[in-house]
Amino acid sequence: MEPQEVVDIGREALMQSLTVALPVLLAGVVVGLFVSFVQALTQINDQTVTFVPKMVAMLAVLAFTMPWLLQSLMEYTRGLFESIPQSVLGG
């Protein structure tokens, strides 16, 4: 296995993890900014007011995108496993 192949596999793994995590993290950021804006307007400063809506939004996005996320992870894993013989045998 060449060093460039290892770098490519690592890059693909990082991109895959970013692709899988992005929808949930983006939902948390958007809801967090909205709740912070509402808190600034109403001057209600309670930690649970920020935490609960973010968790609900993140769980909803995770439930909605779960089939796509699992399909993406299965395709990546299948491709990785199928490339093992080529990497080991050098062909």
Side-chain angles (χ1 to χ4, degrees):
M1 179 178 274
E2 297 293 322
Q4 185 61 38
E5 290 179 61
V6 175
V7 170
D8 289 340
I9 290 172
R11 185 179 314 123
E12 288 177 25
L14 287 173
M15 289 305 294
Q16 185 67 32
S17 63
L18 182 63
T19 302
V20 168
L22 189 63
V24 176
L25 292 176
L26 193 60
V29 168
V30 169
V31 171
L33 286 174
F34 178 74
V35 170
S36 295
F37 181 70
V38 170
Q39 280 183 328
L41 289 177
T42 61
Q43 296 183 355
I44 298 173
N45 293 321
D46 188 18
Q47 291 291 68
T48 58
V49 174
T50 305
F51 182 73
V52 173
K54 278 198 289 189
M55 289 303 296
V56 169
M58 292 170 78
L59 286 173
V61 168
L62 185 61
F64 182 72
T65 59
M66 186 64 76
W68 174 75
L69 295 175
L70 288 176
Q71 183 67 29
S72 176
L73 284 172
M74 287 189 322
E75 288 174 8
Y76 173 73
T77 304
R78 184 177 297 122
L80 194 60
F81 285 161
E82 289 173 354
S83 70
I84 289 174
Q86 296 169 354
S87 298
V88 171
L89 298 176

